[in-house]
Amino acid sequence: MEHYLKIGGTIMVAKWVKNALGRMVPTEINGQDSIPFMGVGKFKPQKRKYNCKIPSNADYPLDGNKKVKDLKEALQKSGLANGMRISTHHHFRDGDLLANKVFDIAHEMGIKDLIWFPSASFPCHAHLIPYLEDGTIARIEGSMNGPLGKYCSEGKMKGVAILRSHGGRYQAVQDGEVHIDISIIGASSADCFGNANGLNGDSASGLLGFALVDSQFADKVIVATDNMLTFPCVPWQIQGNFVDFTVEMESIGIPEKIVSGTTQITKSPDRLLIAELTARLCEEVGIIKEGFSFQAGAGGTSLAIGEFFRKIMKEKGIKARFARGGSNKYLVKMLEEGLIEYILDGQTFDLEGVRSMRENPNHVWTSPFTSYNYHSKGNFAGMVDVAILGATEVDVNFNANVVTHSDGYLLHGIGGWQNCLFSKTVILPIPLFRNRIPVVRKEVTTICGPGELIDVIVTERGIAINPLRKDLLRKLKGSSLPIKSIQALKKEAEAICGVMDELVLSDEIVAAIKWVDGTIIDVVRKVV
């Protein structure tokens, strides 16, 4: 079907097709061909991986000193120009100062139409909204949280935002779908050659895995640090052989804002009940056993689930082979108590996690390549016995949403959520409703993950098992747990909250959601 379509404020003729989940998506976005989602594991790329230009040692200092005066000089020497794609990472979370400084300089230089390619953005990046308004930045191709997501949802961005998972970001660069002109990597420790880590210094964030692909494939790479060490900076998480310029700055991150905002176990009775039900279910179906593995987030409910796991493991004398992080003080405690043999860490959420990673060889840093990249020869995600994740909405087909709310606003990023859906059992512990708005719905506002990969929904009023998981249903037969159908949970939510009016959105597309293989799983429309 071909018709006129407003994409990112521009009227164009676009061909629409229905993808495998029944969502209508365009075959061209931001002037680039896009492939509709074909189903899990159906799209197989037929080309070779992208690579960057071959450098020569003749163009770099023989003594290894790549340090320049300041960030502006590094950007100028990197050839910063109109229309370039600039990448940064989010290890500093809401304490990031570096990305804001990069675009301050670009604005000062009069550069226009830049594409920002962050691994994620945070509320601190509301600083960049004036640069979206004056044309310094044309669009964002990365997950958005808070003010930037709201700005995008209201149709104010010049182009269409592209949201990818952590693994999908690596895949997009590796496959040549995304070309990075200049990458700016912030590190809490680095040397003048460009070797860098996030383990030491005032801006310590734990690891720099999200910046790995940028270092490997960007045309120009700048490492900025507020802790310049004498060569060599060891251990190095970013290798200086990938780096063009190094810069020492007064500060690249606000330490107290680098740690995750949620590092405490929930005290809500409903959320604690959800956590307890989740742990009991895992125990009853035999997931919690000697040598098992798990992944849980850093939210209050997830932390509570981890504590319930810890109690069960101590009572039964069970040791987990590994836990996938985001790490936090609770996971570190389990490692140091001998309840976990290894933490395979993708993101460090607090200072105890940073300390553990620095000191404990069994606290291993990973990257989106090893953990999540779908266009590789396998990754860690499928080896995890149980992944415990969140969602803003779930529908009766078990499809789930993590980026928009039921009012259509784009307020969250994808992170590694899509990638974790390939774990052996995926559980979403979520409230039945939030602010009297049902979370279990007939249809989600935005599909981020297909229902065939989501196994269990745990709410404070009941547990729904995906009918595809006959093995779980069989194991839970006769259980005292409150097992219900997903339709029953929806009906119960509506009995309490009422049936929500159908959401009316504009025809204008403001963002596209990529699946882990680079295909389009859904789009986000302008809020009216």
Side-chain angles (χ1 to χ4, degrees), residues 43-93:
F43 172 63
K44 306 287 179 65
Q46 299 299 316
K47 57 184 182 179
R48 303 187 74 83
K49 291 181 183 179
Y50 167 81
N51 216 322
C52 47
K53 295 176 182 177
I54 300 173
S56 169
N57 282 184
D59 297 326
Y60 296 88
L62 192 61
D63 65 358
N65 186 357
K66 302 174 186 175
K67 186 178 176 183
V68 297
K69 181 179 67 174
D70 54 27
L71 184 58
K72 183 175 181 179
E73 182 178 347
L75 290 166
Q76 288 172 326
K77 287 192 170 185
S78 297
L80 181 64
N82 294 344
M84 281 188 166
R85 185 178 275 108
I86 308 300
S87 78
T88 63
H89 59 80
H90 74 281
H91 296 105
F92 302 130
R93 300 184 191 84

Side-chain angles (χ1 to χ4, degrees), residues 33 52 80 132 184 200 202 223 317 412 424 441 473 479 504:
D33 290 342
C52 47
L80 181 64
L132 286 159
I184 302 92
N200 303 289
D202 290 340
V223 164
H412 303 285
K424 295 173 186 176
R441 306 170 61 84
L473 290 167
S479 170
V504 178

Side-chain angles (χ1 to χ4, degrees), residues 313-333:
M313 292 166 69
K314 289 194 81 168
E315 287 171 3
K316 296 191 171 184
I318 290 169
K319 179 186 290 187
R321 177 60 174 170
F322 69 89
R324 281 281 296 129
S327 68
N328 52 66
K329 61 186 177 183
Y330 302 102
L331 211 56
V332 167
K333 185 178 180 181

Side-chain angles (χ1 to χ4, degrees), residues 262-266 298 303-304 306-307 310 327-337 340 343 350 352:
T262 307
T263 56
Q264 298 298 323
I265 291 174
T266 182
L303 294 177
E307 276 297 283
R310 177 174 170 269
S327 68
N328 52 66
K329 61 186 177 183
Y330 302 102
L331 211 56
V332 167
K333 185 178 180 181
M334 293 177 75
L335 177 68
E336 294 177 345
E337 287 179 336
I340 303 169
I343 296 175
D350 60 23
E352 270 297 278

Side-chain angles (χ1 to χ4, degrees), residues 258-326:
I258 288 173
V259 299
S260 171
T262 307
T263 56
Q264 298 298 323
I265 291 174
T266 182
K267 295 180 180 179
S268 161
D270 283 351
R271 302 300 193 271
L272 285 171
L273 176 57
I274 292 170
E276 182 183 2
L277 291 174
T278 302
R280 282 179 56 196
L281 181 139
C282 290
E283 183 179 19
E284 282 198 28
V285 300
I287 289 173
I288 302 175
K289 61 183 179 182
E290 183 66 26
F292 83 110
S293 57
F294 65 93
Q295 177 162 2
T301 304
S302 295
L303 294 177
I305 292 167
E307 276 297 283
F308 279 113
F309 272 28
R310 177 174 170 269
K311 290 176 184 176
I312 294 169
M313 292 166 69
K314 289 194 81 168
E315 287 171 3
K316 296 191 171 184
I318 290 169
K319 179 186 290 187
R321 177 60 174 170
F322 69 89
R324 281 281 296 129

Side-chain angles (χ1 to χ4, degrees), residues 324-395:
R324 281 281 296 129
S327 68
N328 52 66
K329 61 186 177 183
Y330 302 102
L331 211 56
V332 167
K333 185 178 180 181
M334 293 177 75
L335 177 68
E336 294 177 345
E337 287 179 336
L339 295 174
I340 303 169
E341 291 187 60
Y342 294 93
I343 296 175
L344 302 183
D345 202 343
Q347 185 171 183
T348 318
F349 286 117
D350 60 23
L351 295 180
E352 270 297 278
V354 175
R355 176 197 63 78
S356 175
M357 179 175 284
R358 185 169 57 241
E359 298 175 358
N360 194 330
N362 283 25
H363 192 145
V364 182
W365 60 69
T366 67
S367 76
F369 175 77
T370 54
S371 303
Y372 294 148
N373 180 17
Y374 198 68
H375 288 169
S376 62
K377 297 180 180 180
N379 62 48
F380 294 170
M383 304 180 194
V384 179
D385 288 313
V386 60
I388 297 163
L389 310 170
T392 58
E393 300 175 321
V394 179
D395 68 25

Side-chain angles (χ1 to χ4, degrees), residues 1-181:
M1 178 172 65
E2 189 175 275
H3 60 75
Y4 287 99
L5 172 68
K6 197 171 186 183
I7 300 183
T10 301
I11 302 290
M12 60 177 289
V13 177
K15 186 177 181 182
W16 281 66
V17 295
K18 187 179 287 187
N19 70 15
L21 288 172
R23 295 293 175 121
M24 297 299 295
V25 297
T27 58
E28 182 183 324
I29 296 176
N30 294 328
Q32 188 173 1
D33 290 342
S34 60
I35 301 169
F37 175 69
M38 299 178 180
V40 177
K42 300 297 184 184
F43 172 63
K44 306 287 179 65
Q46 299 299 316
K47 57 184 182 179
R48 303 187 74 83
K49 291 181 183 179
Y50 167 81
N51 216 322
C52 47
K53 295 176 182 177
I54 300 173
S56 169
N57 282 184
D59 297 326
Y60 296 88
L62 192 61
D63 65 358
N65 186 357
K66 302 174 186 175
K67 186 178 176 183
V68 297
K69 181 179 67 174
D70 54 27
L71 184 58
K72 183 175 181 179
E73 182 178 347
L75 290 166
Q76 288 172 326
K77 287 192 170 185
S78 297
L80 181 64
N82 294 344
M84 281 188 166
R85 185 178 275 108
I86 308 300
S87 78
T88 63
H89 59 80
H90 74 281
H91 296 105
F92 302 130
R93 300 184 191 84
D94 205 30
D96 182 26
L97 298 174
L98 187 56
N100 289 343
K101 182 65 174 174
V102 168
F103 291 103
D104 286 345
I105 293 169
H107 175 72
E108 177 190 320
M109 293 172 61
I111 304 296
K112 297 291 184 181
D113 292 327
L114 296 173
I115 301 166
W116 184 32
F117 183 60
S119 54
S121 66
F122 280 78
C124 64
H125 297 120
H127 176 86
L128 302 180
I129 288 176
Y131 300 148
L132 286 159
E133 291 174 337
D134 71 13
T136 303
I137 303 172
R139 68 176 185 270
I140 300 171
E141 292 190 4
S143 287
M144 287 177 280
N145 290 282
L148 285 175
K150 185 174 185 292
Y151 182 89
C152 176
S153 293
E154 292 172 352
K156 297 176 181 178
M157 194 178 295
K158 184 177 178 180
V160 176
I162 308 292
L163 277 69
R164 300 175 174 90
S165 66
H166 291 326
R169 187 174 185 271
Y170 196 105
Q171 163 268 314
V173 177
Q174 166 201 276
D175 292 3
E177 178 187 324
V178 168
H179 171 82
I180 302 172
D181 293 291

